[in-house]
Amino acid sequence: MLVNCLIFFSLFSFGCFLLYKERKLINLGFRSYFWPHTKGLVKDMRHESYLVTSMIGTSGTGIGPARQTDTLYIYEYHVSGKTYCTENYCFGTRGEMFAAEYELEHHVPVYYDPNKPEIAVIQRGIKPTAIIGLLPIFLAATYLMIIFLMN
């Protein structure tokens, strides 16, 4: 019984921690569905390079550092006569943010917070990685139901 309680509590706590950690992204993601949009322009792009732990070797037989390169886009947009720039693609993690592929001077829709126009994204809404904490909570609830059904 103690082991079951520890498993449930661990899964539930971990899920709550993940959701709490991403609470700002989740809040902004929900709110962005109701934001107005304007036309933006891709003004600049930068290539970022960083190391990640990944499969390495010719057959993918090892694990080690691998260099990842992503392109970061800078968008310019205008709200109430004022010019803003952002590099935010969406309210999600790094992998989701670098999903865009645009060319310089390409027009894009920009969704901005009407109360703080400097907060803007190209892709509005909540991305799956922001709510990944729901998975351990779901597993904890399923585990709890299985325990009660078995007794």
Side-chain angles (χ1 to χ4, degrees):
M1 183 65 175
L2 179 62
V3 172
N4 289 337
C5 288
L6 285 173
I7 291 172
F8 170 77
F9 181 74
S10 297
L11 284 170
F12 186 78
S13 298
F14 182 61
C16 289
F17 167 76
L18 291 175
L19 288 175
Y20 180 77
K21 189 175 90 118
E22 301 297 341
R23 70 191 180 281
K24 185 175 180 183
L25 289 179
I26 294 168
N27 182 20
L28 288 170
F30 267 127
R31 290 179 32 217
S32 70
Y33 283 115
F34 305 101
W35 289 352
H37 70 281
T38 186
K39 190 186 297 186
L41 191 64
V42 178
K43 295 301 282 184
D44 194 12
M45 67 170 92
R46 289 192 309 247
H47 299 288
E48 290 190 345
S49 181
Y50 53 93
L51 290 176
V52 295
T53 302
S54 182
M55 301 293 284
I56 59 172
T58 56
S59 301
T61 56
I63 295 178
R67 183 153 307 280
Q68 176 91 21
T69 303
D70 290 318
T71 303
L72 182 69
Y73 297 93
I74 310 299
Y75 309 95
E76 180 181 273
Y77 59 101
H78 305 281
V79 176
S80 301
K82 192 168 180 186
T83 302
Y84 297 93
C85 283
T86 186
E87 57 188 42
N88 294 335
Y89 175 70
C90 68
F91 297 118
T93 63
R94 186 174 193 93
E96 289 167 332
M97 290 183 187
F98 292 112
E101 289 189 23
Y102 299 112
E103 295 182 24
L104 286 176
E105 304 302 319
H106 184 87
H107 288 280
V108 293
V110 177
Y111 300 91
Y112 63 93
D113 184 339
N115 299 320
K116 295 181 180 178
E118 65 274 8
I119 299 174
V121 290
I122 305 305
Q123 285 290 315
R124 62 185 170 179
I126 297 174
K127 301 303 173 195
T129 54
I131 56 171
I132 195 73
L134 291 176
L135 181 61
I137 291 173
F138 174 76
L139 291 174
T142 303
Y143 187 76
L144 191 62
M145 286 190 310
I146 290 171
I147 290 171
F148 281 121
L149 288 176
M150 293 180 80
N151 290 332

